[in-house]
Amino acid sequence: MEVFSQYIYKLRSSGLRPTKQRLMISKLLFGREETFHFTIENLSKLIKKKLNKKVSLATIYNTVNAFKKKGYLKEIPLEGNKTYFDTNTSSHHHFYDEDSEKLIDINNEKISVNNIIPVSPYGKTIKSVEVMVRIASDNHNQK
């Protein structure tokens, strides 16, 4: 029951009422041991597959965006209009597998970033530097 109350807390602290649908979303996002990377579309399909329920895209968008605003999820935009969300909100890096369209975490210790941090514009401070390494099969055509 303690885990269930954590979902309710996250929802309420994000300004959302803990409805059955939002609790299901919370459980799918935060009820796992490993980091979860997803798009809204992936999450919608996962809800339908795992829970055999249909949840409106509006409910999914609203819940995910409220969690993002509160800091429970990190948004990772890719080129075009593809956006991933990550349950690991710490500063870390990713591989993006173009074949499977999946994000894979890279431990910070495995990346060495030297001399690429630019001078920030006047009045702005660099909050973090995150690296996205795009990967594909060897026979994948490069763009």
Side-chain angles (χ1 to χ4, degrees), residues 97-111:
D97 186 331
E98 293 179 344
D99 298 328
S100 65
E101 296 185 337
K102 293 191 177 180
L103 287 178
I104 304 161
D105 286 345
I106 304 172
N107 291 336
N108 282 342
E109 301 81 42
K110 302 289 183 186
I111 295 280

